[in-house]
Amino acid sequence: MIHEFDALIVGAGGAGLYAALEASVAARTAVLSKVHPLRSHTGAAQGGIGAALGNVEEDKPEWHAFDTVKGGDYLVDQAAAVLLAEDAVRAVYDLENRGLPFSRTPEGRIDQRRFGGHTRNFGEGPVRRSCYAADRTGHMILQTLYQQCVKNGVEFYDEFHVLDVILDGRRCCGAVALEIATGEIHTFRAKAVLFATGGFGRMFRVTSNAHANTGDGPAVLARRGVPLQDMEFFQFHPTGIKGLGILITEGVRGEGGVLRNRKGERFMERYAPGLLDLAPRDMISRAILTEIASGNGMRGDGRIDDWVLLDATKLGREVLEKKLPDITGFCRTYLGIDPAEAPIPIQPTAHYAMGGIPTDIEGRVIADESGSLYEGLYAAGECACVSVHGANRLGTNSLVDLVVFGRRAGQHVAGFVKTAGYGPLAKDAAEPARALVARITEGRGPNGKLVREDMETVMMEKVGIFRNKGGLRVAVEKMKELRGRMGEVRMQDRSKRFNTELVGILELGNLVDLAYLTATAALARTESRGAHARDDFPARDDALWLKHSMARLGEKEAVMGSRPVDVSRWAPKPRVY
Amino acid sequence: MRITLRIRRFDPWTGEPHWDADYPVEVDPTDRILDALIRVKEEQDGSLSFRRSCAHGVCGSDAMIIAGVERLACKTLVRDVAVEEGAVVTVQPLRWLPVQRDLMVDQDAFFAKFRSVKPFLINDEPVGDGKERVQGQAERAAFDDATSCILCGSCYSSCPVLEANGAYLGPAALVQAARFVFDSRDRGFAQRMSLLDRADGVWACDNHFNCTRVCPREIKVTKNINALKRQITRSKEGSS
């Protein structure tokens, strides 16, 4: 079946919905989502959205921009960070005006709290910048944006899984998707296609990410020759629930919670004497693993699955119930503890992809090392890399990224399709997608479980918080092997309708491709920067590596390239907190 | 421990009636029922069909009837529903919505009712300072409970009224209405009143409280519905 739209948006989390709101005002727009939009993972974001409103203490967008650059270990494109911080203020007011129920100050203004790496006056001390709605800020953003889409009659194709993008050289002509309900393959012809498919934390064994976070957009584009940027930078959030990886928001530490090891020490005093428990996430995750390795984890055996404690007992029951009700509930449900009375056992959890589809500040996808652009191809949100997060994203900046760049991309799409025509659509445009599905459907083979387990384990152990050449080489070879083994994977379920097993295999193929690029990029970068920590290259190396990596899926091997970083505003300095 | 999941299977396209299939599965008492379902799908029967995403109770994908009660499979631990070795745990799809396959139900009608209550802020007045609408902490607290809703459909399935009256808006849509009716910034009460003040609107609710008991977000659903009833009555008294 062939559909024709001005604009096609793939993904309906925060970035996709905001883009849809903007694009649908001016253009015939369709939104594809493999899950109902309200099931999107934006809804799981907890702690807040950063914006220098200055509602509770002095703050400036310039400080926010600087913190973002420093937090990203200077791999952030600085003009983009300035734009992010300035537009964040407008975006938060816009969300409020559209109905988002922010928590309020006694004066009835949007309340703000502390978050990691956010400081006043270029690092002097923590600042209250995170605008929040209890600990369900992402839920409220997702709800509010979906409500607005209902109000504005945006056209959704729910439970359509993207299979392919249709490119004619550097011109995007549409996309191909699987309708999960029927098993039919649909071709969507569009003047512009915007990918907003979210993250891909499911490549790791312990992750805060939803099952749906499988990087479908980046993987589909990578297989069509689009380079992916900064894939080696994957954030481990320091506080996941032990064993499960379920996120415990940084807001707990923003409200005064502290990390302690088995001796009861507040160990962050030794790692970040200035910001302590509100240092950026990469530093805290490394600190936790260092404590664990030196026998200071709760079990004390130095093994990687040991844990430490997040002590929130001092906050008191009232603060926990009012400001952190969801995480209080998670602790009760999954750990059987009351965080007002007992500390929370935590360990780092794979959380956020800093890397992804390279774009300019309008969301247009970058095609090569020189920065030339695709026509009619856009990306926004976690699947994109603008780059405003550089080597390590600050807490609250993911939600800022969604609303700022989702909106900008949507606006640009709306303008573009007014004058643009359609790219050429070959008769057999859907054939590669059809062949992929047919391969998985026909004949017998393993169901992919072992491939998934191998990928998760190797990525966790060799491409996790601390990395080295030996481990990364093993990981690269393993991912090559797994890509080969994906060719043998077959589904057992023979039904066309609601075949969730087929979707799962397609998702796994996407993860394995992205895991391969992640491991390859991590092996190539012989320095430590932000979330990429190499035991064998412990220092940052600006002379050699102050540049974005570009990883391409070649015919046989991945090919690495690079692009310059915009450091026009603040010269790189050592990153201490 | 070893338990048996007794899962209600159904594929409407085969023309066959639904059946219950038993799947023995090795679990820890602290595993989620969702973990057990995934294990069955991966290790025993790839055709078992269910939705899931976040796996920690915030996306609303995996509402189903577990051991006779509407719950999220990812927020239900084995020990919540199975104490003894060898226990049998029944797993069935939500009620009052057409089954698409196994544990997947068609939520179109459910979301149509959600959309019908105008679930968005209605206020065309200019914002005072051009920035934000001021809202006191007490005003914000007045509708906090309703903002937690993830539209999973648990309440809808638990409601006995819907068995007899399929046209009833249902508890979830009414919670969504309450979320806006009691938001001090909203001006849409008059528009929503005609949708809510009907026999199939708030007045269909008989105060069974099943919705409140099953809500995985612990929303006081019935209380929200009763608050809407009072608000409607008050506004009618005020205008007469």
Side-chain angles (χ1 to χ4, degrees):
Chain A
M1 195 172 179
I2 297 180
H3 311 260
E4 208 169 89
F5 286 93
D6 290 334
L8 178 69
I9 292 167
V10 183
L17 291 177
Y18 220 136
L21 276 175
E22 295 293 339
S24 62
V25 172
R28 277 199 66 228
T29 304
V31 184
L32 305 190
S33 177
K34 69 175 175 180
V35 295
H36 185 282
L38 288 177
R39 315 294 181 218
S40 302
H41 199 54
T42 298
Q46 298 171 1
I49 175 167
L53 307 186
N55 275 6
V56 288
E57 60 181 317
E58 188 191 8
D59 198 5
K60 298 175 179 175
E62 193 188 8
W63 299 349
H64 184 183
F66 173 77
D67 289 340
T68 300
V69 169
K70 183 179 171 187
D73 219 348
Y74 294 90
L75 199 69
V76 172
D77 287 308
Q78 298 188 359
V82 169
L83 191 152
L84 177 93
E86 287 176 351
D87 204 37
V89 176
R90 182 209 52 76
V92 165
Y93 289 137
D94 180 54
L95 288 169
E96 193 285 328
N97 295 168
R98 290 177 189 261
L100 198 142
F102 283 106
S103 295
R104 300 286 175 158
T105 66
E107 296 75 38
R109 301 271 169 191
I110 296 168
D111 200 8
Q112 300 185 271
R113 65 180 165 206
R114 291 174 172 183
F115 239 77
H118 289 281
T119 72
R120 70 184 134 77
N121 204 19
F122 308 102
E124 274 183 14
V127 72
R128 290 172 66 175
R129 183 176 293 146
S130 169
C131 312
Y132 65 99
D135 55 354
R136 47 181 84 118
T137 315
H139 165 77
M140 301 299 197
I141 288 179
L142 185 66
Q143 294 274 330
T144 301
L145 291 174
Y146 187 68
Q147 290 156 8
Q148 292 294 307
C149 286
V150 169
K151 185 180 177 189
N152 291 289
V154 172
E155 192 168 342
F156 287 99
Y157 288 78
D158 294 341
E159 299 193 334
F160 276 64
H161 177 90
V162 70
L163 295 167
D164 202 359
V165 62
I166 305 167
L167 296 177
D168 179 58
R170 295 254 168 112
R171 176 78 175 97
C172 181
C173 315
V176 183
L178 173 80
E179 182 181 11
I180 297 171
T182 62
E184 296 302 322
I185 289 172
H186 295 248
T187 301
F188 289 84
R189 188 177 200 199
K191 296 172 180 173
V193 180
L194 188 154
F195 283 87
T197 59
F200 35 89
R202 278 279 151 184
M203 64 173 66
F204 296 96
R205 195 179 59 225
V206 178
T207 176
S208 64
N209 281 201
H211 285 279
N213 290 162
T214 55
D216 305 331
V220 157
L221 292 184
R223 287 195 291 268
R224 287 279 161 212
V226 177
L228 300 183
Q229 182 170 298
D230 294 341
M231 289 296 282
E232 61 271 41
F233 297 102
F234 205 97
Q235 179 170 84
F236 280 72
H237 193 292
T239 58
I241 290 180
K242 173 176 82 92
L244 292 169
I246 295 169
L247 185 66
I248 297 293
T249 173
E250 204 167 303
V252 173
R253 284 169 283 133
E255 298 287 355
V258 297
L259 293 161
R260 296 192 189 280
N261 61 20
R262 66 176 296 158
K263 297 174 185 161
E265 293 167 337
R266 187 179 186 181
F267 57 85
M268 282 313 296
E269 287 171 349
R270 283 184 268 121
Y271 299 89
L275 288 185
L276 297 165
D277 301 90
L278 288 173
R281 291 173 177 173
D282 59 325
M283 301 179 86
I284 297 184
S285 287
R286 282 195 294 278
I288 291 171
L289 248 64
T290 305
E291 288 295 304
I292 285 173
S294 42
N296 289 336
M298 295 312 292
R299 212 171 46 211
D301 58 10
R303 281 170 43 191
I304 192 172
D305 63 341
D306 204 354
W307 66 93
V308 297
L309 297 176
L310 172 59
D311 186 353
T313 54
K314 268 209 215 107
L315 276 60
R317 183 157 281 124
E318 198 190 332
V319 168
L320 283 165
E321 298 279 356
K322 272 198 180 151
K323 295 187 166 178
L324 301 159
D326 276 11
I327 73 102
T328 302
F330 297 154
C331 291
R332 289 189 183 133
T333 302
Y334 299 107
L335 295 165
I337 64 165
D338 179 349
E341 286 171 4
I344 310 164
I346 58 96
Q347 58 190 185
T349 179
H351 184 57
Y352 187 88
M354 271 73 73
I357 306 160
T359 72
D360 71 356
I361 55 169
E362 313 298 346
R364 292 179 291 190
V365 175
I366 291 170
D368 58 27
E369 281 71 359
S370 71
S372 36
L373 299 168
Y374 282 95
E375 199 186 351
L377 183 61
Y378 296 77
E382 186 173 345
C383 74
C385 181
V386 179
S387 156
V388 287
H389 308 306
N392 171 64
R393 175 175 70 74
L394 289 188
T396 78
N397 271 354
S398 60
L399 293 176
V400 187
D401 183 359
L402 300 183
V403 295
V404 167
F405 291 102
R407 171 174 172 270
R408 287 183 75 88
Q411 286 177 339
H412 203 276
V413 164
F416 172 78
V417 300
K418 265 186 207 157
T419 52
Y422 287 95
L425 186 71
K427 257 200 173 141
D428 57 355
E431 269 323 298
R434 226 176 274 284
L436 172 67
V437 171
R439 191 204 74 208
I440 299 167
T441 311
E442 287 158 10
R444 300 277 162 190
N447 70 357
K449 177 179 194 279
L450 298 179
V451 173
R452 178 180 62 74
E453 288 173 350
D454 279 0
M455 171 190 68
E456 290 174 354
T457 302
V458 171
M459 289 302 287
M460 198 74 196
E461 290 175 2
K462 311 292 187 197
V463 199
I465 293 171
F466 286 109
R467 305 163 168 181
N468 61 54
K469 184 176 176 181
L472 290 168
R473 277 194 167 157
V474 168
V476 169
E477 289 310 309
K478 190 71 186 178
M479 295 313 137
K480 274 192 207 168
E481 176 206 317
L482 295 180
R483 292 185 77 212
R485 279 164 59 190
M486 275 312 295
E488 296 151 22
V489 170
R490 299 288 183 274
M491 65 197 196
Q492 326 292 312
D493 183 1
R494 297 285 135 176
S495 173
K496 277 190 81 174
R497 295 187 176 85
F498 296 103
N499 193 320
T500 51
E501 192 186 26
L502 169 62
V503 176
I505 292 170
L506 293 165
E507 291 174 328
L508 180 62
N510 291 340
L511 284 173
V512 170
D513 282 349
L514 297 181
Y516 173 55
L517 291 180
T518 301
T520 305
L523 176 61
R525 187 175 284 269
T526 50
E527 67 158 352
S528 289
R529 181 186 299 272
H532 176 65
R534 292 276 301 249
D535 295 331
D536 43 354
F537 297 95
R540 195 174 83 192
D541 184 351
D542 286 340
L544 212 55
W545 285 109
L546 186 58
K547 58 188 182 186
H548 297 295
S549 73
M550 302 280 270
R552 249 178 234 278
L553 270 182
E555 282 292 311
K556 282 187 180 155
E557 304 255 313
V559 182
M560 296 303 304
S562 68
R563 285 182 62 227
V565 182
D566 166 15
V567 287
S568 53
R569 188 127 173 186
W570 293 288
K573 280 190 200 154
R575 182 168 168 253
V576 284
Y577 287 96
Chain B
M1 66 189 284
R2 201 171 176 79
I3 61 167
T4 295
L5 293 183
R6 179 163 295 161
I7 303 174
R8 176 73 43 94
R9 306 289 312 265
F10 182 51
D11 184 347
W13 300 95
T14 62
E16 303 289 319
H18 64 73
W19 77 100
D20 286 337
D22 282 2
Y23 300 94
V25 57
E26 198 64 40
V27 289
D28 286 330
T30 54
D31 282 349
R32 296 163 280 203
I33 292 296
L34 177 63
D35 300 323
L37 286 170
I38 290 172
R39 216 162 299 155
V40 169
K41 185 174 177 66
E42 282 194 338
E43 295 170 5
Q44 299 185 45
D45 189 342
S47 74
L48 177 66
S49 303
F50 53 91
R51 290 190 176 86
R52 85 287 180 268
S53 192
C54 78
H56 65 288
V58 298
C59 82
S61 297
D62 62 352
M64 50 189 77
I65 301 179
I66 301 167
V69 178
E70 284 77 6
R71 316 173 203 248
L72 300 177
C74 63
K75 217 181 164 179
T76 306
L77 304 189
V78 168
R79 67 176 178 213
D80 298 337
V81 288
V83 184
E84 291 161 24
E85 179 73 25
V88 175
V89 178
T90 60
V91 185
Q92 295 164 353
L94 294 182
R95 304 186 299 171
W96 323 142
L97 294 167
V99 177
Q100 293 165 318
R101 201 178 168 190
D102 297 339
L103 303 171
M104 302 170 83
V105 295
D106 183 347
Q107 295 199 311
D108 280 359
F110 173 76
F111 279 114
K113 289 175 179 177
F114 158 73
R115 287 193 299 271
S116 79
V117 301
K118 299 185 186 285
F120 40 80
L121 190 83
I122 298 175
N123 186 338
D124 296 330
E125 300 161 9
V127 177
D129 64 356
K131 293 178 176 174
E132 56 183 304
R133 292 196 167 91
V134 172
Q135 181 169 57
Q137 288 178 338
E139 290 172 324
R140 169 64 180 76
F143 66 103
D144 185 64
D145 190 35
T147 65
S148 300
C149 177
I150 55 175
L151 290 150
C152 66
S154 291
C155 57
Y156 194 86
S157 170
S158 77
C159 177
V161 174
L162 278 152
E163 181 170 21
N165 178 9
Y168 172 39
L169 282 176
L174 294 177
V175 164
Q176 292 289 333
R179 179 254 169 273
F180 292 99
V181 166
F182 299 111
D183 186 333
S184 59
R185 301 169 297 173
D186 189 81
R187 301 289 177 266
F189 182 64
Q191 292 183 48
R192 291 193 190 92
M193 172 98 153
S194 57
L195 307 160
L196 302 173
D197 182 24
R198 291 184 298 129
D200 296 334
V202 292
W203 306 114
C205 170
D206 275 343
N207 284 301
H208 291 273
F209 282 88
N210 287 13
C211 50
T212 303
R213 276 190 289 272
V214 302
C215 177
R217 303 287 288 163
E218 296 171 26
I219 297 168
K220 295 178 181 67
V221 183
T222 322
K223 189 177 170 190
N224 274 283
I225 298 172
N226 286 329
L228 283 174
K229 289 177 183 169
R230 279 196 302 277
Q231 185 74 7
I232 290 168
T233 305
R234 257 200 308 272
S235 95
K236 281 182 172 170
E237 285 166 0
S239 61
S240 63

